[in-house]
Amino acid sequence: KERSLHTFDAVLEEYKDQIVNDSLVRRHLKDLQATLLEQNLIRLIEPFSRVEIAHVAELISLPLPSVESKLSQMILDKKFLGILDQGTGELVVFDEPICDNTYEAS
């Protein structure tokens, strides 16, 4: 099934009148939209170890500040390991650390 954020936004706009009146549906759709954005961002940054944030924003067709904010939130929530280098405007993604069980028993 398609996981397009833009298709989701178009459907939300089309059925805006029905959605606005129901707070439960509105809250769930907001959560779904956040989840879709996270999944799309993870899928976009997956092949990179270092990528310009502006390039990610261009690929996902969203404003740079919102992409930067979401990436920052995802790093803090430990959705992936990385840092935002604001000096160079890049996202640096780290590999998952290898768990060493050598000293676990001591």
Side-chain angles (χ1 to χ4, degrees), residues 30-58:
K30 184 178 178 185
D31 291 344
L32 179 59
Q33 187 175 29
T35 302
L36 274 174
L37 178 57
E38 285 180 6
Q39 289 175 351
N40 285 337
L41 284 171
I42 287 172
R43 196 171 57 227
L44 281 174
I45 64 172
E46 191 174 31
F48 300 104
S49 61
R50 179 180 220 104
V51 63
E52 288 185 5
I53 302 166
H55 180 64
V56 174
E58 182 181 313

Side-chain angles (χ1 to χ4, degrees), residues 10-73:
V11 170
L12 281 180
E13 188 61 36
E14 183 178 339
Y15 296 102
K16 186 177 183 177
D17 296 335
Q18 291 89 349
I19 294 169
V20 171
N21 296 331
D22 193 337
S23 63
L24 180 67
V25 171
R26 193 173 49 235
R27 188 177 79 233
H28 283 292
L29 289 175
K30 184 178 178 185
D31 291 344
L32 179 59
Q33 187 175 29
T35 302
L36 274 174
L37 178 57
E38 285 180 6
Q39 289 175 351
N40 285 337
L41 284 171
I42 287 172
R43 196 171 57 227
L44 281 174
I45 64 172
E46 191 174 31
F48 300 104
S49 61
R50 179 180 220 104
V51 63
E52 288 185 5
I53 302 166
H55 180 64
V56 174
E58 182 181 313
L59 288 174
I60 203 163
S61 301
L62 290 174
L64 179 64
S66 66
V67 171
E68 191 171 8
S69 172
K70 188 62 178 178
L71 288 171
S72 175
Q73 178 188 357

Side-chain angles (χ1 to χ4, degrees), residues 57-103:
E58 182 181 313
L59 288 174
I60 203 163
S61 301
L62 290 174
L64 179 64
S66 66
V67 171
E68 191 171 8
S69 172
K70 188 62 178 178
L71 288 171
S72 175
Q73 178 188 357
M74 290 170 68
I75 291 169
L76 292 173
D77 291 343
K78 300 193 187 321
K79 303 284 181 175
F80 65 91
L81 296 175
I83 59 169
L84 293 175
D85 186 346
Q86 292 180 327
T88 60
E90 293 179 331
L91 168 68
V92 181
V93 181
F94 303 127
D95 293 331
E96 292 288 328
I98 298 171
C99 185
D100 184 11
N101 296 329
T102 305
Y103 300 106

Side-chain angles (χ1 to χ4, degrees), residues 2-16:
E2 191 175 344
R3 295 184 292 174
S4 170
L5 192 59
H6 298 293
T7 304
F8 181 79
D9 288 338
V11 170
L12 281 180
E13 188 61 36
E14 183 178 339
Y15 296 102
K16 186 177 183 177

